[in-house]
Amino acid sequence: MDPTTSGRFRVHDRRPRPDIEDDPDADVADLDTDTADASEEFVLVELPEGPVDPTAPDAEEQFDPLYATAEGYEDELAERVASLKPGYVVDATLAWTDGSARFDEVEVVRESRFRFADGVEGMFEAAVETWEQIRAAGEAVGSITTRSNDGEPNGALYLFADAPGGDAFADLRAGRLPVEPLIARVNESREDDDPREVFVLRPAAHEFVAVYVVFDRDGVLAQTVRDTYDLGPGLAAGLEAGEFEAAKADDGGTLDGGVSEGGDASDDSDDSNDSDDFDALDRL
């Protein structure tokens, strides 16, 4: 009988299986054109049962990605696997054969979403202004808390330098640079684990990558970002469904441009509110 692994996992991405021997971390963009017809696999990250101490020697290893084939299933299991989207949290059992993993059982427990966009035009001002302040301070990473019109936190925006010779966007998408600790920090600050919308954006005109954890997956802010960067149903779909006014009342549409000193996305101190608010619906 094949050995199995059971646990809770984040579906990080779905991609063609790399056709490079002994290199599961190879970037899809670097593969030959024949790989477009290759079978697909899921990039999974197992979620720890409790908090992870970021200073622990093995902290980074807690979020190492693993890979499970996305095809070749039957009946109800085939339907469940086909429905999986990047960002979903699942309880699953993986069966291992010759070093390859396949789903033996899988059940979605939280429908968060990851959305990736490379080379985006018109990066929103909160990210650009914050990045300029981070670089002026000589830092390579930083974060801010964004807020609605009512001043309520509605997202955590993390910024990473895209240094020459590196590829932070590819590392984030492949799970080599873990996103999970950022989401865990948001969940801890909000004292819940509601579904989030996580946008990983690399602007064409700036040397950084943004990871934007929007608290309400279905709110107007998430819809605005999806619309702006063509990443799925957004405000237009909400208008057609008559949902926009209710969502706007609940969520607001603003981002706060202030930088939280120390780079803690859960920092809601007055220091993070010094800059003028701006309307995401106008300026995203």
Side-chain angles (χ1 to χ4, degrees), residues 78-149:
E79 295 178 7
R80 292 187 177 189
V81 172
S83 72
L84 300 181
K85 305 293 184 184
Y88 279 20
V89 175
V90 301
D91 285 338
T93 297
L94 303 174
W96 297 84
T97 304
D98 297 328
S100 297
R102 294 180 57 82
F103 287 106
D104 192 44
E105 299 176 359
V106 62
E107 180 179 357
V108 176
V109 296
R110 189 158 57 253
E111 293 185 354
S112 292
R113 285 300 308 272
F114 283 5
R115 300 186 189 272
F116 301 91
D118 195 4
V120 301
E121 302 289 346
M123 193 66 181
F124 55 89
E125 290 186 35
V128 175
E129 293 171 359
T130 299
W131 181 245
E132 291 173 351
Q133 295 178 51
I134 291 169
R135 296 301 287 159
E139 301 294 337
V141 297
S143 65
I144 63 171
T145 299
T146 63
R147 298 175 183 276
S148 71
N149 284 324

Side-chain angles (χ1 to χ4, degrees), residues 62-81:
Q62 296 288 323
F63 302 103
D64 282 348
L66 54 90
Y67 310 91
T69 185
E71 301 171 336
Y73 300 94
E74 297 180 353
D75 303 326
E76 182 180 356
L77 182 57
E79 295 178 7
R80 292 187 177 189
V81 172

Side-chain angles (χ1 to χ4, degrees), residues 147-154 216-224 226 234-239 241-255 278-283:
R147 298 175 183 276
S148 71
N149 284 324
D150 296 330
E152 291 297 320
N154 60 8
D216 184 356
R217 183 198 62 186
D218 299 317
V220 69
L221 178 58
Q223 294 180 60
T224 300
R226 289 198 296 268
L235 290 176
L239 283 169
E243 298 172 352
F244 174 69
E245 290 302 325
K248 185 174 181 180
D250 290 341
D251 185 50
T254 60
L255 303 175
F278 65 89
D279 191 338
L281 304 182
D282 291 334
R283 296 175 66 181

